[in-house]
Amino acid sequence: MARILALDYGTKRTGVAVTDELQIIASGLTTVPTKELMPFLKTYVSEENVELLLVGEPKQMNYEASESEVSISKFLNALKKEIPHIPVKRVDERFTSKMAFQTMIDSGLKKKQRQDKTLIDEISATIILQSYLYNPS
């Protein structure tokens, strides 16, 4: 089997999470400045066996697309051109940032550590990946 990579895409930075090769465990990998995301992904998929990319799909409470969907759509178009051999699936990412922040509190991180937005993005990507592993569609 191969890894699944999940992205919590943002205009400034993107959280990245990955499974083990058996696709059992979801782990935060890193947070990448979004302007450096495509080179990062190209290098990663050339070095690791990745069979699927998950990209968070931000929706409003009424299930309509959020404002950030415009920039995500542009990224997805570029991704299909740059890495066409790996399929992309979208995963609902509502509440992942709040869940990530709560995870940080529950794990005992101090207030200063919880202000690290890169960690929130990485944990959010992990939550996106976990939700897919529990309910692949």
Side-chain angles (χ1 to χ4, degrees):
M1 292 182 82
R3 299 178 189 276
I4 298 173
L5 200 65
L7 306 175
D8 179 30
Y9 184 88
T11 54
K12 294 181 183 177
R13 66 194 165 270
T14 298
V16 182
V18 66
T19 65
D20 60 307
E21 290 181 342
L22 296 175
Q23 298 179 4
I24 297 171
I25 300 168
S27 303
L29 182 61
T30 189
T31 299
V32 179
T34 299
K35 63 183 178 190
E36 300 170 17
L37 181 60
M38 196 63 72
F40 171 85
L41 291 174
K42 289 170 75 173
T43 300
Y44 190 86
V45 301
S46 71
E47 296 172 354
E48 296 289 339
N49 188 12
V50 176
E51 74 175 33
L52 178 63
L53 289 167
L54 303 175
V55 178
E57 184 174 19
K59 295 181 180 180
Q60 297 178 14
M61 293 303 295
N62 62 2
Y63 293 95
E64 290 181 8
S66 75
E67 295 172 10
S68 59
E69 188 61 30
V70 173
S71 59
I72 294 172
S73 294
K74 290 178 184 176
F75 165 72
L76 291 173
N77 288 333
L79 186 61
K80 288 176 187 174
K81 289 177 186 169
E82 296 289 332
I83 309 174
H85 62 284
I86 300 178
V88 176
K89 284 191 177 181
R90 303 296 302 276
V91 177
D92 187 349
E93 70 168 43
R94 284 177 296 165
F95 307 115
T96 56
S97 293
K98 289 181 183 178
M99 292 167 63
F101 190 75
Q102 188 60 49
T103 299
M104 293 168 74
I105 291 171
D106 294 345
S107 64
L109 291 179
K110 296 186 181 339
K111 186 175 182 179
K112 182 141 179 100
Q113 294 170 306
R114 293 193 308 257
Q115 292 171 340
D116 181 359
K117 293 184 191 273
T118 61
L119 185 55
I120 292 173
D121 294 334
E122 185 178 324
I123 294 171
S124 294
T126 307
I127 292 169
I128 290 168
L129 184 52
Q130 286 174 334
S131 70
Y132 176 81
L133 291 175
Y134 291 133
N135 188 22
S137 47

